[in-house]
Amino acid sequence: MSARPENAVALVTGASKGIGSAIAKALAADGWAVAVNYRSDEAGANAVVEAIEAEGGTAKSIHADVTNGDAKALLKQVEEALGGPVLALVNNAGVARDNIALQLTDEDWDVVIGTNLSPAFRLTRDSLRSMIKARYGRVINIASVVGPRANAGQSNYAAAKAGLIGMTKTIAAEVARRGVTVNAVAPGFIATDMTAELATDEIVKAIPARRQGTPEEVAAAVRFLASDDAGYVTGTTLYVDGGMSA
Ligand code: NAP
């Protein structure tokens, strides 16, 4: 079992709020220097960095729209800002554009696939070289309970999240002998901006745990998968869903 190299950096995409911000804080608490990526919410990202620094951790906010296609430039920006290679990559940035398939536009299909799936592939591909060289790497893709199972009105989102899980398994098999693990975390119904308008009593009653999850509960699973302890866990999907998929 290998240990995390001293200068290792973690990149969390979409870390200005919600689940991503909790993941950034949890990884920083575990000693990772963390790149807090954001697209539009600079104040949110700066607040995450300040909270990490207040606890004695290291973090920098990094502006980039992951849909711009230039994963190499983002990784370079992170490495220059934090002084080491990205050896933990958390593909968390995501959006939802819901509608039933009959009415779903090409644009809403493309935006969801182009934000939730394609950047995760490009960032994974372009960070693997450093990970393989270090013989240490952790890729964690934030998927969803939606994808492995249906949710009417989310065919674009389900396709992206199921795609992430398929990609996770395949790349995990490709790099397993190199000390690099690739896993997915599938949250259920978590209290963030993304779900703020959806949280009805009816939905919550359908969750076996009878409550929404917190971003911190998802972050705890990511923290484990990023740790040295999880070196033999690869290609799997860890559900954090209060029993929704049971
Ligand atoms: P959220 O509160 O809406 O936060 C989304 C984050 O993604 C923000 O930091 C946003 O950045 C960032 N983002 C969006 N588009 C981006 C882009 N093009 N480039 C860079 N960053 C971008 O959502 P959340 O609930 O925390 O969701 C985080 C992840 O968990 C998503 O992948 C989501 O699909 C997944 N998930 C959430 C739930 C849930 O119940 N909440 C359940 C299952 C899975 P800015 O704000 O700076 O623009």
Side-chain angles (χ1 to χ4, degrees):
M1 198 174 86
S2 57
R4 183 204 314 164
E6 280 279 307
N7 62 346
V9 170
L11 165 60
V12 184
T13 65
S16 56
K17 55 169 67 76
I19 293 171
S21 73
I23 293 170
K25 290 174 193 167
L27 294 183
D30 233 9
W32 289 90
V34 179
V36 177
N37 163 248
Y38 69 97
R39 173 191 53 177
S40 56
D41 186 359
E42 185 178 8
N46 288 340
V48 174
V49 170
E50 278 165 29
I52 288 172
E53 288 174 345
E55 294 294 318
T58 302
K60 293 262 189 268
S61 63
I62 303 284
H63 177 250
D65 182 333
V66 295
T67 66
N68 76 8
D70 201 346
K72 283 194 181 75
L74 171 53
L75 290 164
K76 189 158 176 262
Q77 199 183 343
V78 170
E79 294 186 8
E80 283 172 4
L82 284 150
V86 173
L87 299 185
L89 168 66
V90 183
N91 288 306
N92 167 77
V95 292
R97 296 269 190 103
D98 299 348
N99 214 329
I100 55 168
L102 266 174
Q103 288 167 13
L104 193 70
T105 63
D106 286 351
E107 196 209 337
D108 285 346
W109 175 270
D110 289 343
V111 166
V112 169
I113 300 292
T115 306
N116 299 24
L117 180 58
S118 304
F121 168 68
R122 289 192 290 261
L123 281 165
T124 303
R125 178 192 61 197
D126 293 340
S127 59
L128 280 177
R129 205 172 298 280
S130 300
M131 295 180 185
I132 288 168
K133 195 167 160 214
R135 297 200 68 78
Y136 191 96
R138 300 283 188 265
V139 179
I140 298 148
N141 295 315
I142 306 304
S144 173
V145 290
V146 175
R149 63 180 260 190
N151 193 25
Q154 289 202 306
S155 56
N156 50 357
Y157 189 83
K161 296 303 189 182
L164 273 179
I165 290 172
M167 184 187 88
T168 297
K169 291 182 183 187
T170 293
I171 300 180
E174 289 173 0
V175 297
R177 69 187 187 284
R178 314 278 205 154
V180 179
T181 68
V182 187
N183 291 290
V185 168
F189 195 43
I190 310 300
T192 69
D193 287 0
M194 188 180 269
T195 56
E197 284 165 19
L198 307 171
T200 61
D201 287 351
E202 200 188 336
I203 293 180
V204 171
K205 263 193 216 141
I207 302 169
R210 299 287 190 274
R211 66 172 178 87
Q212 281 192 279
T214 66
E216 290 71 27
E217 287 172 315
V218 179
V222 175
R223 180 178 175 162
F224 165 66
L225 291 170
S227 72
D228 292 352
D229 287 342
Y232 201 58
V233 180
T234 196
T236 198
T237 299
L238 181 47
Y239 287 83
V240 183
D241 67 356
M244 275 175 89
S245 53

